[in-house]
Amino acid sequence: YIDTAINKSDNALLESIKKVSANTSGYIFVINTEGKILLNQARPELVGSNMSQSDDVIIKDTIEKIKKNLEYENEAFISYKWKNPISKKLETKHSYITKIPNSNWIIGSGFYDSSVKKITDIEIKKLYDEYNLKLNYIIIMGLMAILISLIISYFISKFIKNRFLNYKNKITSKTQELEELNKNLEKKVKLRTSELEKNRKSLEILATTDALTKIHNRYSIMQILIKEIDRANRYDLPLCVLMYDIDHFKTVNDNYGHDEGDKVLVNITKIVKKTLRDIDVFGRYGGEEFIVILPNTSLKDAQNLSQRIRKCVDNNHFDMIGNITISLGLVQHEKHEKHHDMFKRLDNLLYKSKTNGRNLLSS
């Protein structure tokens, strides 16, 4: 289910990016950190290919350059050689690239030197043509005025002055129009970026939250556990992890139905959340098994907190069912211990609590 949700999230995000790209003068490309091209509307034949494994030296060097620039930064501006889909030639391309948080995606957008030069040359030519046309007309009128008479030249000079003023006003007006268009474009880009960020956050919540209990799901809590273990190793901080299992939960489902079983899961989750501290991280590992990560916590403090959780659940009365208990396993992280080794010890302690009579804490 997690893989399906992630795939749907990725596809939805790519579709959103395609819409943004379609409404801009340039284009947007998306790759992942492994070098696979996820989106490139200018060169769709490259989508799905892995740039790191390409036989094309230029393509391979480009992905290595992107990875190197984002190795220690989240964004960068880079220049590299790339095939222009219009001219079909290798040209210098300038791109802005950035990592998408909490993913292995890299998104970027760029332009070619030739594209900028072409647009600039066209605009310059238009201005020169218009200027030359006006200037020739003014010169002819001036010569005619001089030939006719000095008096008429006065009126002609006045006419020329008015022409220049009108031309200046036109340029000013065009400049203002361009500035307004630029502002509107910036607003659209900000709006699209905001929409993409909202979609990304919604998809991130969907992919990391347990649908029933609204706490971290298995994938999310295990990722957090790995980060906390790395932090504990790096800064030599105490770290404890608690895992509990609802006793005889299968009997609850068999006797009262799965709807009532879901209520038990939700209610126990609420009880435990009220007992936890702000720094603690709570997640559902699967079924009726839950994990609590206790950062910067000694084993003694973690034992006191775990017993408090066990007693709060034991003292609670559940409608229709009555009393329910939980069995708990608690471990303290050992220096340089990997997460899978730590988790194996935690699982063994939970099993010990259940085989020794349940409603117990083993640490």
Side-chain angles (χ1 to χ4, degrees), residues 290-312:
F290 294 79
I291 292 177
V292 181
I293 301 173
L294 307 171
N296 201 19
T297 305
S298 66
L299 181 60
K300 182 177 179 181
D301 291 338
Q303 288 171 336
N304 293 334
L305 177 61
S306 300
Q307 290 289 10
R308 189 160 61 249
I309 291 173
R310 183 187 63 78
K311 291 176 182 179
C312 286

Side-chain angles (χ1 to χ4, degrees), residues 305-336:
L305 177 61
S306 300
Q307 290 289 10
R308 189 160 61 249
I309 291 173
R310 183 187 63 78
K311 291 176 182 179
C312 286
V313 176
D314 190 20
N315 293 333
N316 188 74
H317 179 80
F318 294 84
D319 295 340
M320 294 180 63
I321 300 171
N323 284 67
I324 292 178
T325 62
I326 59 175
S327 297
L328 307 91
L330 174 68
V331 296
Q332 183 175 31
H333 172 255
E334 298 178 355
K335 191 169 182 63
H336 302 306

Side-chain angles (χ1 to χ4, degrees), residues 249-250 252-254 256-265:
F249 186 69
K250 183 177 184 301
V252 174
N253 283 330
D254 292 343
Y256 301 97
H258 288 279
D259 289 343
E260 197 63 31
D262 288 347
K263 290 180 182 178
V264 169
L265 291 172

Side-chain angles (χ1 to χ4, degrees), residues 210 212-216 244 246 261-276 282-284 287-292 309 313 316 318 326:
D210 179 62
L212 177 63
T213 59
K214 308 305 179 185
I215 60 177
H216 291 283
Y244 71 82
I246 301 173
D262 288 347
K263 290 180 182 178
V264 169
L265 291 172
V266 172
N267 288 332
I268 290 180
T269 299
K270 291 179 180 178
I271 293 170
V272 175
K273 284 182 71 175
K274 289 180 181 179
T275 312
L276 297 177
F282 189 20
R284 184 180 182 187
E288 65 272 23
E289 292 183 330
F290 294 79
I291 292 177
V292 181
I309 291 173
V313 176
N316 188 74
F318 294 84
I326 59 175

Side-chain angles (χ1 to χ4, degrees), residues 9 14 47 90 100 118 123 145 156 163 202 230 241 244 271 283 293 298 316 334 350 359:
S9 301
L14 284 173
V47 174
L90 283 178
I100 298 180
K118 183 178 180 180
E123 292 300 320
I156 293 177
R163 282 286 187 174
S202 297
D230 289 341
V241 179
Y244 71 82
I271 293 170
I293 301 173
S298 66
N316 188 74
E334 298 178 355
L350 177 60
N359 195 19

Side-chain angles (χ1 to χ4, degrees), residues 170-187:
K170 286 182 179 179
I171 293 176
T172 302
S173 177
K174 291 291 184 183
T175 302
Q176 290 174 347
E177 289 179 8
L178 288 173
E179 290 176 351
E180 188 65 29
L181 287 173
N182 187 51
K183 289 179 180 179
N184 291 335
L185 180 60
E186 289 178 354
K187 289 179 180 179

Side-chain angles (χ1 to χ4, degrees), residues 64 79 90 101 140 255 289:
E64 291 303 321
S79 298
L90 283 178
I140 292 172
N255 294 339
E289 292 183 330

